[in-house]
Amino acid sequence: MIRINDIVDKISDYNPSADLDIIDRAYIFSARVHQGQVRLSGEPYLIHPLEVAAILADLKLDEVSIVSGLLHDVIEDTWATPEQLRDMFGDDVCHIVEGVTKLSAITSSSMETRQAENLRKMILAMAKDIRVVLVKISDRLHNMRTLQFHKEHKRKDIARETLDIYAPIAGRLGIYWMKKELEDSAFMYLLPEEYNKIDMLVKNNLAKGGEYIEIVKNLIKQKLDESNIESEIVGRYKHYYSIYQKMLRQNLTFDELYDIIAFRIVVDNMHQCYMVLGLIHALWKPIPKKFKDYIGTPKPNGYQSLHSSVIGPLGKRMEIQIRTHDMDKVARSGIAAHWSYKEGKRTTDEEIRKTFKWLQDLVENQAQFRDPKEFLENVRIDLFPDEVYVFTPKGEVKSMPRGATPIDFAYMVHTELGNQCISAKVNGRVVPLRYELKTGDIVEVISAKGHTPSRDWLKFVKTVKARSRIRQWIKIQEKERSLPLGREMCEKEFEKHKLDFNVEVKSEKMKKVVEDFGYKDIDDLIADIGYGKFTPHQIAKKFIPEEPEAQESLLTKIIGRVTKKKKDVGVIVSGVDDVLIRFGKCCHPLPGDPIIGYITRGYGVAIHRSSCVHALRTDPERRIDVNWREKSGQIYPVKICIVARDRVGLLADIATNIAKNSANILNANTGDIDENNTSTMLFTIAVEDNGHLDKVVAAIKKVKLVQSVVRIS
Ligand code: MN
């Protein structure tokens, strides 16, 4: 059983000036609160935090990390509170222990493999401080070492989670020894048969292989000695899980596997790395495309090394890794090297600082953020700038784009859930639907059968899925409304031509027409007619069996029947010039007024002001674009209403003013005089255009006691 003194010794080794007092206090506190608890193995619970602390000491981490390791389970499993931890051990320890506790709560062993990447990212993103993750994976490592005490199914769950989540995180952080151990132990529990097969094969091979490894080591040593290069050489079998993966990937049996032996050559400086590479390649033939220079291009986690595969003695393939002692240290402890101690001092080596640039940036920024939440926000932005990770109430992780809302989430889960979403709860509280989700939020969508999406949602949803589903729904809605309308319009139009739409709709001819309009389904075409995209006439005319010229348009048909056109009318009917024009008696359009044409039945085109109620009531099918001619020399009648106090000579003054402005009076109705001595007079005058009318009106307004002059329809 490990004792606290063993851990203190380890720490003193790499950090002689460590604050051992705080470690002692953490040990005593942990022992007190865990008192009476036992592990499944029957041992006192305290062994677990001690072992975790020992692993953290193996990573050569600082006191805060070790103390956090000793205390990592106290919030979850004992009466200890975060406040107590803060008071006794400081903010950092409190935060790390809380972080580890939170991570234990979120990882779900039943989650699916495809979520693993999200969960990995989330764990990294949620940790304020990477030490949270280091404590967590150390915790997991010890749990894996003692997994045999769990029940079978529990073992598999934990092993699966280790393989999916924690081993890759260890790899990403560059702590390869941990990654390998986590993978191999998880592999053993998850696929015992395969594990044992590889174990047996490696052990059978070991006697011969062990000899072989010694031979190769000596050959390399000799060669390097000749060039006066001091080196450390390690030869070993690759770890089982990587052998297994290789077999799977390349579909090989164990006998066909060659480079399962790997040698690591550690030298003093980078220059020697490349020299050694040259010597090795001179000694044994390199396998093409197997050479990788991670010194020139380090892995994102800072790993540096030269990798090459060569054909060694007896034609066996071997992998060779060459690196410096410093690189080897990073390769062994990865990101942990950042917090580790070098000759009693925190690492300040410029090279390592550069290697961990991204982490360094985060840590340096950490000081600027008093509020842990604010810092957390920053970590997330730096690690994964565009994503947030949220949970379903069942603990499934969903990755969402930054700014996503509960509506996006609902559609991500299921289209129906999105369509029927009425409100949402985040972490148990009702939030507005436009709430922006944050990493770690537990999102619960509240839906109601029969509830439908709102067009407004399009203003704030972020995901393509939500947007397209809402649009799709709106389209279906529109179709539902416009389909019966379109059908009715078609039926009427066909009736006009003595055709039965409901018969024609099933005809071969209709199929062709639908295709010609670029549709697959007749309903879509009918709906678009209801929606106003096409007129029913455009369809009907394909079914009217008439001579081509008569078919041309309703307009030409009418023109055939009307009497001779008047010369020089002031209006151009679009597309036709031989047409009878009449002006609406209701609204008396003037040049300059916005106008529309209406194709009458047999009386040519009637021109109305666009605002005229009669014009608005006409069949849209029969409307036609018309425009005023530039200068026609025509005069047009227009009605005006004049209100004035009656006086002697009023009528004469008005008439004079109209005449002075070159307008003719066609009709005048002076009406009665009311009790207030006010007279309302209606005039019909002839003017050239609305500009001319304005002049006349202005002149009448100047007449003494005239109160108002307005044009009327
Ligand atoms: Mn634990």
Side-chain angles (χ1 to χ4, degrees):
M1 179 178 150
I2 189 155
R3 294 164 311 142
I4 187 68
N5 288 343
D6 302 332
I7 296 166
V8 168
D9 285 350
K10 276 189 200 199
I11 300 165
S12 308
D13 267 359
Y14 65 81
N15 181 17
S17 59
D19 174 5
L20 298 177
D21 176 57
I22 191 173
I23 289 168
D24 233 28
R25 286 192 290 118
Y27 167 68
I28 292 164
F29 185 80
S30 185
R32 186 147 58 94
V33 296
H34 282 301
Q35 189 161 43
Q37 297 176 343
V38 285
R39 302 201 85 212
L40 288 174
S41 60
E43 293 173 305
Y45 194 87
L46 188 62
I47 287 192
H48 171 63
L50 276 173
E51 290 285 359
V52 172
I55 293 167
L56 292 163
D58 287 339
L59 289 171
K60 298 190 169 55
L61 294 183
D62 63 353
E63 300 97 314
V64 168
S65 306
I66 312 276
V67 167
S68 302
L70 287 168
L71 300 171
H72 78 271
D73 275 333
V74 302
I75 292 180
E76 202 182 348
D77 294 341
T78 78
W79 46 263
T81 64
E83 291 68 38
Q84 276 177 308
L85 293 190
R86 184 172 294 119
D87 286 351
M88 296 173 71
F89 305 102
D91 282 342
D92 281 357
V93 170
C94 175
H95 181 85
I96 294 170
V97 174
E98 277 190 303
V100 173
T101 307
K102 239 185 253 167
L103 290 188
S104 313
I106 62 165
T107 54
S108 150
S109 52
S110 61
M111 51 120 229
E112 291 171 47
T113 319
R114 64 183 164 79
Q115 288 190 53
E117 178 59 19
N118 282 347
L119 206 54
R120 287 198 287 270
K121 283 184 177 178
M122 173 160 175
I123 287 169
L124 287 171
M126 275 184 81
K128 169 196 170 185
D129 180 318
I130 211 76
R131 288 176 292 186
V132 172
V133 180
L134 294 172
V135 173
K136 181 65 199 171
I137 56 176
S138 302
D139 174 38
R140 178 51 59 108
L141 186 65
H142 184 243
N143 285 336
M144 289 306 292
R145 285 175 181 172
T146 54
L147 199 61
Q148 72 266 30
F149 300 108
H150 279 280
K151 289 214 175 75
E152 163 85 17
H153 71 95
K154 195 87 193 173
R155 269 187 237 163
K156 288 223 150 119
D157 279 353
I158 295 173
R160 169 94 270 158
E161 192 181 78
T162 299
L163 206 53
D164 286 344
I165 311 294
Y166 292 101
I169 287 179
R172 191 168 292 184
L173 297 181
I175 314 168
Y176 291 107
W177 71 267
M178 264 194 173
K179 174 179 191 267
K180 287 172 188 172
E181 188 180 336
L182 288 170
E183 278 181 350
D184 271 357
S185 59
F187 177 42
M188 182 173 81
Y189 288 107
L190 221 47
L191 298 163
E193 268 181 44
E194 284 83 347
Y195 180 91
N196 288 330
K197 213 190 278 172
I198 290 175
D199 187 46
M200 219 173 66
L201 289 164
V202 168
K203 279 181 180 148
N204 284 346
N205 206 285
L206 207 55
K208 285 182 278 167
E211 219 172 280
Y212 183 81
I213 286 172
E214 277 311 304
I215 292 168
V216 171
K217 261 172 77 170
N218 284 333
L219 282 170
I220 296 172
K221 188 102 197 129
Q222 221 180 312
K223 195 82 188 166
L224 299 195
D225 282 350
E226 282 169 21
S227 306
N228 285 324
I229 298 172
E230 283 217 26
S231 64
E232 246 173 60
I233 304 164
V234 184
R236 57 175 178 94
Y237 280 87
K238 290 188 168 179
H239 75 292
Y240 290 7
Y241 189 63
S242 73
I243 293 174
Y244 173 68
Q245 279 181 311
K246 197 173 206 122
M247 286 169 73
L248 279 189
R249 232 188 356 253
Q250 302 175 0
N251 199 18
L252 298 173
T253 64
F254 187 82
D255 292 332
E256 293 170 300
L257 276 175
Y258 295 105
D259 44 352
I260 57 166
I261 299 173
F263 291 88
R264 185 187 309 141
I265 304 167
V266 182
V267 294
D268 286 334
N269 58 53
M270 200 204 291
H271 177 64
Q272 288 178 339
C273 291
Y274 290 99
M275 273 174 65
V276 171
L277 181 75
L279 292 171
I280 295 289
H281 282 181
L283 199 56
W284 296 301
K285 194 172 159 23
I287 296 162
K289 291 180 187 163
K290 281 287 195 174
F291 170 66
K292 289 193 186 92
D293 182 358
Y294 293 119
I295 292 180
T297 315
K299 288 191 183 182
N301 61 30
Y303 177 85
Q304 284 186 298
S305 201
L306 298 175
H307 287 192
S308 185
S309 287
V310 298
I311 298 171
L314 306 174
K316 281 193 188 235
R317 293 154 66 123
M318 342 177 272
E319 188 182 295
I320 310 274
Q321 300 176 350
I322 307 161
R323 56 200 184 218
T324 66
H325 288 285
D326 281 346
M327 293 171 192
D328 192 48
K329 187 181 164 206
V330 172
R332 279 186 282 118
S333 53
I335 263 170
H338 177 72
W339 271 276
S340 65
Y341 289 83
K342 197 181 188 181
E343 288 146 17
K345 284 205 317 258
R346 204 173 260 268
T347 308
T348 51
D349 189 332
E350 198 48 40
E351 277 309 298
I352 289 180
R353 277 172 63 101
K354 252 188 228 159
T355 309
F356 294 104
K357 178 95 177 62
W358 68 274
L359 192 65
Q360 198 81 40
D361 286 347
L362 285 181
V363 174
E364 276 162 11
N365 284 329
Q366 187 174 358
Q368 299 168 13
F369 297 99
R370 285 271 177 74
D371 179 4
K373 267 191 194 152
E374 202 184 331
F375 178 71
L376 183 61
E377 186 63 19
N378 220 47
V379 175
R380 285 207 309 266
I381 288 166
D382 283 350
L383 288 177
F384 314 106
D386 307 322
E387 290 166 74
V388 294
Y389 305 92
V390 299
F391 293 104
T392 68
K394 284 181 188 159
E396 252 185 278
V397 187
K398 300 276 174 197
S399 152
M400 313 284 300
R402 182 162 293 273
T405 64
I407 301 276
D408 292 292
F409 176 84
Y411 277 104
M412 186 80 91
V413 174
H414 198 276
T415 300
E416 274 305 284
L417 189 64
N419 282 342
Q420 302 184 349
C421 173
I422 50 174
S423 71
K425 280 185 183 175
V426 167
N427 305 325
R429 290 170 121 175
V430 175
V431 295
L433 287 175
R434 53 172 74 228
Y435 170 88
E436 282 190 14
L437 298 173
K438 297 178 178 53
T439 286
D441 279 349
I442 299 166
V443 191
E444 186 185 345
V445 174
I446 299 159
S447 65
K449 262 227 154 58
H451 194 78
T452 57
S454 157
R455 196 182 278 269
D456 286 348
W457 293 357
L458 288 173
K459 288 181 201 146
F460 54 81
V461 294
K462 282 284 180 310
T463 53
V464 176
K465 183 169 182 189
R467 193 170 295 279
S468 70
R469 292 299 191 274
I470 296 166
R471 287 229 173 93
Q472 197 180 26
W473 187 88
I474 290 172
K475 229 176 153 190
I476 291 169
Q477 278 320 99
E478 280 172 351
K479 192 176 166 185
E480 269 171 22
R481 263 183 279 128
S482 51
L483 187 61
L485 182 65
R487 190 178 299 279
E488 202 185 312
M489 286 164 77
C490 288
E491 282 169 0
K492 280 197 177 139
E493 180 67 27
F494 274 62
E495 240 172 65
K496 270 190 228 160
H497 302 285
K498 308 252 178 319
L499 289 167
D500 186 341
F501 179 71
N502 290 311
V503 172
E504 298 296 341
V505 91
K506 290 170 199 137
S507 64
E508 282 302 309
K509 168 104 186 144
M510 186 61 89
K511 265 189 205 158
K512 175 95 182 25
V513 170
V514 170
E515 260 173 44
D516 289 349
F517 275 83
Y519 289 84
K520 279 192 182 127
D521 183 11
I522 173 84
D523 281 357
D524 291 339
L525 175 58
I526 297 173
D528 273 353
I529 288 169
Y531 197 62
K533 242 182 170 174
F534 302 103
T535 65
H537 182 70
Q538 282 174 283
I539 311 297
K541 72 179 177 191
K542 309 260 181 189
F543 291 84
I544 306 167
E546 271 176 296
E547 308 91 75
E549 61 267 36
Q551 264 182 12
E552 263 169 27
S553 81
L554 186 56
L555 186 62
T556 44
K557 227 163 89 184
I558 293 157
I559 292 161
R561 281 193 252 133
V562 298
T563 48
K564 275 276 154 231
K565 62 162 186 173
K566 269 191 196 168
K567 285 275 179 221
D568 274 346
V569 278
V571 167
I572 305 160
V573 177
S574 70
V576 225
D577 28 53
D578 195 22
V579 65
L580 180 70
I581 302 285
R582 296 186 313 125
F583 289 95
K585 293 237 165 52
C586 44
C587 56
H588 293 296
L590 290 183
D593 291 337
I595 47 172
I596 58 161
Y598 168 67
I599 304 161
T600 64
R601 293 178 193 273
Y603 300 98
V605 174
I607 309 296
H608 292 269
R609 285 159 71 187
S610 321
S611 56
C612 174
V613 277
H614 293 281
L616 292 174
R617 276 194 206 126
T618 57
D619 179 357
E621 272 292 291
R622 289 177 163 265
R623 279 180 208 157
I624 189 164
D625 282 348
V626 289
N627 289 297
W628 293 104
R629 254 184 233 285
E630 274 291 292
K631 270 277 178 216
S632 68
Q634 297 271 323
I635 52 168
Y636 301 86
V638 61
K639 275 187 188 171
I640 52 173
C641 174
I642 304 167
V643 178
R645 300 280 281 220
D646 195 36
R647 65 171 172 87
V648 177
L650 175 69
L651 202 57
D653 285 350
I654 290 171
T656 311
N657 272 290
I658 292 172
K660 258 202 267 178
N661 283 285
S662 327
N664 292 331
I665 298 171
L666 303 177
N667 191 320
N669 184 348
T670 53
D672 295 326
I673 296 164
D674 68 12
E675 63 271 23
N676 297 322
N677 200 30
T678 299
S679 170
T680 302
M681 293 163 279
L682 293 177
F683 279 76
T684 304
I685 58 174
V687 294
E688 281 167 20
D689 53 31
N690 58 1
H692 187 193
L693 175 65
D694 290 345
K695 259 195 236 162
V696 176
V697 168
I700 300 169
K701 278 183 179 167
K702 281 184 192 144
V703 174
K704 206 173 144 199
L705 293 188
V706 166
Q707 289 166 339
S708 73
V709 183
V710 287
R711 177 179 177 184
I712 55 166
S713 314

